[in-house]
Amino acid sequence: MKARAAITAESGADGPRLRWRSDPPVVLRPTGGPEVYLVQAGGGPLGGDELGLDVHVGERGCLQVRSAGATVVQPGDPAHRARWTVTADLAGGAVLGWRPEPTVICDGAHLCSTMALALRAGARAVLHEVVVLGRAGQRGGRLRGELTIDYDGDPLLAHTLLLDGADPVLAGPAGSAGARVVGMIVVVGEGSGNPPEGAGEEQGLRWACSSLEGPGWLLLALGDRVTDVTQLLDQSGYGWAAAAGLAGRAWR
């Protein structure tokens, strides 16, 4: 199945203005103000599906994207992987908050996820992603996640994440080290502030943060439980989200 949806958010005299186009199974549901929910109406994605979303935030516009529930990637056509592609461009002064629910990679599933973000000077964005390897009792399938960010025409970040619960190398000490949950938060652009302190470790949870060669920072976390990883990411990004005007609406 192939489908590609789109969202445009602009600033109007009477508040945020949204235009959207759903393309089932990628369905969009605005909930008021600048907030839009993603709904996977047909389940999946399955192997062989090619799904996508195009996002545009106009000058001084604001958009918060969430999802109605976890995305569960399941095996389908064994000869093809599932693909999920997001492109987002932000004009000057625009704000984007990207915070979907976790993506679960079931046994035997293979997902290629790509996100390309372009920000003009003065724009800002926070991207929050959590991946879970398998349902309860599963080792989990394979994920290749690619994230590229350009800021005012210059490359800012190119990041690739490889996970496979059934691969002894990728799931071993040099990979996810047996952790089932991997999370990432990226804060970029105007007012990104200082990153959280370098790295840390607690029972069942480890994380590390790096500054980018430009306005922004990246934090990666590995954990045994979704709640622990999600709480860490939310706490790390809350101050920025509050300053950007997102925390009171949906960053919770």
Side-chain angles (χ1 to χ4, degrees):
M1 178 178 293
K2 295 184 179 181
R4 195 167 193 97
I7 312 171
T8 297
E10 297 176 328
S11 177
D14 53 351
R17 296 178 179 175
L18 295 178
R19 300 195 307 275
W20 66 94
R21 184 190 74 250
S22 296
D23 190 5
V26 184
V27 176
L28 304 172
R29 290 287 183 263
T31 59
E35 188 176 78
V36 175
Y37 274 72
L38 278 166
V39 180
Q40 291 286 356
L46 305 175
D49 287 350
E50 297 185 11
L51 310 178
L53 175 67
D54 297 316
V55 176
H56 172 72
V57 187
E59 189 171 353
R60 294 185 300 278
C62 180
L63 178 64
Q64 172 77 34
V65 180
R66 303 197 71 185
S67 64
T71 297
V72 181
V73 186
Q74 303 182 61
D77 182 348
H80 297 88
R81 63 199 71 180
R83 296 184 182 275
W84 169 241
T85 304
V86 177
T87 64
D89 65 273
L90 279 62
V95 178
L96 173 65
W98 178 268
R99 193 190 181 285
E101 295 300 308
T103 298
V104 180
I105 314 294
C106 296
D107 281 359
H110 188 176
L111 174 67
C112 287
S113 174
T114 303
M115 186 170 192
L117 174 65
L119 301 88
R120 289 297 180 187
R124 44 189 172 169
V126 58
L127 312 176
H128 175 297
E129 293 274 6
V130 175
V131 177
V132 182
L133 287 171
R135 300 186 183 205
Q138 294 184 341
R139 292 181 299 178
R142 186 175 182 86
L143 168 78
R144 181 182 178 90
E146 298 181 355
L147 171 65
T148 59
I149 300 176
D150 291 348
Y151 185 76
D152 203 24
D154 294 323
L156 181 61
L157 176 66
H159 182 266
T160 300
L161 177 65
L162 291 175
L163 298 173
D164 191 337
D167 186 314
V169 175
L170 292 177
S176 56
R180 292 187 58 239
V181 185
V182 180
M184 174 181 70
I185 184 169
V186 185
V187 175
V188 294
E190 182 76 18
S192 54
N194 296 320
E197 292 190 9
E201 183 172 357
E202 300 175 0
Q203 183 65 35
L205 180 65
R206 287 163 292 157
W207 66 93
C209 186
S210 302
S211 296
L212 304 179
E213 293 294 328
W217 49 269
L218 162 70
L219 185 146
L220 292 171
L222 293 171
D224 298 332
R225 302 195 306 171
V226 174
T227 51
D228 292 341
V229 172
T230 299
Q231 184 178 36
L232 172 67
L233 300 185
D234 283 344
Q235 289 174 346
S236 301
Y238 185 85
W240 181 93
L246 293 171
R249 298 186 178 104
W251 200 266
R252 52 183 178 270

